[in-house]
C-alpha cells in the first residue's frame, strides 16, 4: 500500500536575519584607535580655503601722468612727440594733448548748452531712449537702493532723425545745443585728423589696411555726453560696465575726452585699470578699436573715464569718438604713394660715374668699328 506524503507545516520556516542588537549609548566604538580615524577624516574631508576677489574689477593702479604733447610739434620733423605718443599708447593706451587750437569759448558754450539736455523731464527722456534700432539719444538710467544718482548719458550725432526727434522733445533749447555741438565737433575732427595724419607714417603704412582706414560709421563721428553725479564712487560697478559696453557700440580710431576739471582719469583695458591726474586744460586721447586693427593688435583699444570728486555741482564731460574722414585717409594714402614713387625714381636714377663709363665704352666700340672698316 502506497504511503501518503507527509502533510506540510502550516507555518513555513522564516529565514530572515534577526534585527541588530541595540548598542548601549555609553559603549565606545569598536575601532581600536579612534584618534587615527578622526585625524584621517579631518584631513581627507577638509574643504579647501577659497579666496574670492574683493570686487568685480581689479584694484586701480595709480601711475604718473601720460606725456603731454603739443599738437603744433607733430608737424616738426625734429620733434620727439611721435615716439612719445607711440610709447604711451603701447603702454596705457592714451596720451594728453595741449595747444590744440580750439577756442575756449567754443568749448564753454557747448558745455553750457549740454547741461540743459539733462534737465529734460524723465517722461520725455523715455521717448528718446537709445535702443538697438536707434543708437542715439538718452541712455536708460539705473539707481541702486540707498545710492545717489549715477552718471547720466546722452549720445549725440549729426543724424537728421535725431535732430527732428529731439526738437520735439526739447523744443526750447535743442537747436541751440545742436548748433554749438556741430561747431565743437568740427574743431575736434580737425584735431583728430592732424593726429591720425602724423601717426600714419609711423605704423599705418601697409596697403592691406588702407580700406579699413577709410571705413566710416553710418552716423559719422559721435559724441557721448556725461553728467557726473555728486560724489559717485569711482568703482561703481554698473557705471563701469555700462561705459565698457558703450565703448564697443561705435567703432572709432581715436576718442578725444573733454573733461577739464576732473580729479582723476581712469583707463580700462584687458591689461588692467590705471588712473592718473590729468593736466589742466588738456584733451585726453585714447586708442580706439580701429587703431588696434590697423596696428595689428600692437596698440590696444582702451576705455577712458573722467572722475569728478568733491564737486558741489554736477559736472559735464564729453567723449568724441572719431574716425578719419575719407579726405584724410586719401591724403595720407597719397602721401605714402608719392613717397614710394620718389624712392623708386631715386633707385632708377643713373649716377654720373655710371654715365661716364657708358660713354667711354661706346667710344671704344665706335673706334673699334672704324678701325676694322678701314682695314676692309
Amino acid at each position: 500500500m502506497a504511503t501518503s506524503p507527509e502533510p506540510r507545516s502550516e507555518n513555513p520556516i522564516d529565514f530572515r536575519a534577526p534585527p541588530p542588537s541595540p548598542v548601549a549609548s555609553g559603549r565606545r566604538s569598536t575601532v581600536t584607535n579612534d584618534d587615527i580615524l578622526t585625524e584621517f577624516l579631518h584631513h581627507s574631508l577638509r574643504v579647501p580655503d577659497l579666496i574670492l576677489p574683493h570686487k568685480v574689477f581689479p584694484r586701480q593702479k595709480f601711475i604718473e601722468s601720460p606725456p603731454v604733447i603739443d599738437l603744433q610739434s607733430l608737424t616738426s620733423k625734429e620733434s620727439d612727440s611721435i615716439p612719445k605718443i607711440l610709447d604711451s599708447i603701447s603702454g596705457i593706451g592714451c596720451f594728453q594733448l595741449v595747444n590744440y587750437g580750439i577756442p575756449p569759448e567754443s568749448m564753454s558754450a557747448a558745455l553750457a548748452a549740454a547741461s540743459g539736455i539733462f534737465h529734460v523731464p524723465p517722461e520725455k527722456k523715455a521717448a528718446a531712449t537709445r535702443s538697438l534700432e536707434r543708437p542715439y539719444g538718452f541712455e536708460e538710467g539705473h539707481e541702486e537702493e540707498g545710492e545717489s544718482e549715477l552718471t547720466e548719458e546722452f549720445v549725440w550725432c549729426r543724424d537728421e532723425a535725431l535732430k527732428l526727434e529731439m526738437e520735439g522733445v526739447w523744443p526750447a533749447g535743442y537747436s541751440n545745443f545742436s548748433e554749438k555741438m556741430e561747431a565743437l565737433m568740427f574743431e575736434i575732427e580737425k584735431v583728430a585728423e592732424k593726429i591720425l595724419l602724423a601717426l600714419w607714417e609711423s605704423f599705418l603704412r601697409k596697403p592691406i589696411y588702407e580700406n579699413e582706414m577709410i571705413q566710416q560709421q553710418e552716423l559719422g563721428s559721435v559724441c557721448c555726453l556725461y553728467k557726473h553725479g555728486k560724489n559717485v564712487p569711482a568703482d561703481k560697478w554698473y557705471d563701469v560696465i555700462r561705459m565698457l559696453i558703450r565703448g564697443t557700440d561705435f567703432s572709432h580710431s581715436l576718442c578725444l575726452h573733454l573733461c577739464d576739471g576732473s580729479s582723476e582719469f581712469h583707463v580700462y583695458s584687458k591689461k588692467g585699470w590705471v588712473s592718473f591726474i590729468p593736466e589742466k586744460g588738456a584733451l585726453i586721447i585714447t586708442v580706439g578699436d580701429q587703431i588696434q586693427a590697423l596696428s595689428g593688435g600692437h596698440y590696444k583699444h582702451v576705455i577712458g573715464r573722467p572722475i569728478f570728486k568733491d564737486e558741489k555741482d554736477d559736472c559735464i564731460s564729453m567723449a568724441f569718438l572719431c574716425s578719419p574722414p575719407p579726405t584724410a585717409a586719401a591724403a595720407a594714402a597719397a602721401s605714402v604713394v608719392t613717397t614710394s614713387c620718389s624712392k623708386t625714381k631715386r633707385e632708377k636714377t643713373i649716377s654720373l660715374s655710371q654715365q661716364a663709363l657708358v660713354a667711354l665704352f661706346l667710344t671704344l666700340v665706335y673706334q673699334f668699328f672704324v678701325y676694322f672698316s678701314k682695314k676692309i
Side-chain angles (χ1 to χ4, degrees):
M1 184 176 178
T3 58
S4 62
E6 296 181 0
R8 294 183 179 181
S9 174
E10 295 181 0
N11 297 322
I13 299 175
D14 190 359
F15 289 98
R16 292 180 299 174
S21 301
V23 179
S25 59
R27 183 178 300 177
R28 290 179 55 83
S29 171
T30 56
V31 179
T32 57
N33 197 333
D34 194 36
D35 293 336
I36 296 177
L37 177 61
T38 302
E39 184 178 0
F40 170 77
L41 294 176
H42 175 73
H43 288 286
S44 61
L45 301 179
R46 183 173 58 185
V47 178
D49 295 330
L50 301 177
I51 301 177
L52 299 177
H54 180 63
K55 294 181 180 180
V56 177
F57 296 96
R59 295 180 182 274
Q60 68 182 110
K61 177 183 178 182
F62 287 94
I63 60 172
E64 295 183 2
S65 296
V68 179
I69 305 299
D70 189 328
L71 181 62
Q72 308 306 319
S73 67
L74 293 180
T75 58
S76 175
K77 296 182 179 180
E78 299 179 355
S79 175
D80 60 346
S81 297
I82 294 298
K84 287 183 178 179
I85 292 176
L86 296 179
D87 181 65
S88 182
I89 64 177
S90 65
I92 61 174
C94 72
F95 63 95
Q96 304 182 86
L97 191 71
V98 296
N99 196 19
Y100 38 82
I102 301 179
E105 299 79 14
S106 179
M107 295 186 292
S108 300
L111 288 170
S115 62
I117 202 166
F118 294 107
H119 291 91
V120 173
E123 60 274 10
K124 291 189 175 181
K125 287 183 180 179
T129 302
R130 294 186 62 209
S131 64
L132 294 177
E133 297 78 17
R134 180 174 49 195
Y136 47 74
F138 292 97
E139 179 63 29
E140 186 177 359
H142 175 85
E143 292 185 19
E144 294 180 1
E145 184 177 355
E147 298 287 349
S148 60
E149 185 180 13
L150 300 182
T151 301
E152 295 183 48
E153 179 183 353
F154 179 80
V155 177
W156 177 87
C157 62
R158 295 190 180 99
D159 189 76
E160 190 66 24
L162 171 64
K163 184 176 180 179
L164 294 175
E165 185 173 2
M166 287 304 301
E167 284 179 349
V169 172
W170 186 31
Y174 186 79
S175 296
N176 177 63
F177 163 75
S178 182
E179 180 182 345
K180 299 292 191 262
M181 287 299 300
E182 287 186 11
L184 181 57
M185 178 68 85
F186 177 75
E187 299 291 340
I188 289 289
E189 286 178 334
K190 289 197 300 184
V191 173
E193 181 177 340
K194 291 179 181 179
I195 297 173
L196 290 169
L197 287 174
L199 294 178
W200 179 276
E201 283 291 332
S202 299
F203 65 92
L204 302 179
R205 298 182 178 183
K206 297 182 179 180
I208 59 175
Y209 296 143
E210 290 180 9
N211 291 333
E212 297 181 23
M213 187 67 181
I214 62 176
Q215 285 180 353
Q216 295 291 300
Q217 289 293 311
E218 294 181 0
L219 300 177
S221 297
V222 173
C223 178
C224 297
L225 296 93
Y226 302 94
K227 188 191 81 169
H228 301 267
K230 302 173 184 177
N231 297 321
V232 175
D235 56 353
K236 178 60 64 179
W237 66 270
Y238 182 83
D239 259 5
V240 175
I241 292 177
R242 183 176 64 178
M243 177 197 58
L244 293 174
I245 294 174
R246 293 287 78 76
T248 59
D249 278 354
F250 304 100
S251 178
H252 61 284
S253 295
L254 296 174
C255 183
L256 288 74
H257 299 265
L258 178 58
C259 52
D260 192 25
S262 60
S263 307
E264 297 176 5
F265 192 88
H266 293 189
V267 180
Y268 305 89
S269 68
K270 292 182 179 180
K271 294 182 179 179
W273 169 19
V274 299
S275 61
F276 59 88
I277 300 176
E279 185 81 7
K280 182 176 177 59
L283 287 177
I284 311 298
I285 316 296
T286 56
V287 173
D289 60 306
Q290 293 179 9
I291 293 292
Q292 176 174 323
L294 296 172
S295 65
H298 183 67
Y299 305 108
K300 303 298 184 182
H301 177 206
V302 300
I303 305 296
R305 180 195 187 199
I307 302 297
F308 295 84
K309 294 182 178 179
D310 302 326
E311 296 291 340
K312 296 181 180 180
D313 300 322
D314 293 333
C315 299
I316 304 296
S317 69
M318 299 180 180
F320 295 87
L321 308 178
C322 298
S323 297
T327 54
S335 174
V336 174
V337 172
T338 302
T339 303
S340 61
C341 289
S342 61
K343 290 181 179 179
T344 305
K345 289 180 179 179
R346 285 197 299 270
E347 291 174 357
K348 294 181 179 180
T349 302
I350 301 176
S351 64
L352 290 175
S353 59
Q354 291 174 336
Q355 294 178 22
L357 290 175
V358 172
L360 179 60
F361 175 76
L362 293 176
T363 302
L364 291 176
V365 171
Y366 174 75
Q367 293 295 336
F368 179 78
F369 278 106
V370 171
Y371 173 79
F372 272 94
S373 64
K374 289 182 180 180
K375 289 290 185 181
I376 296 173

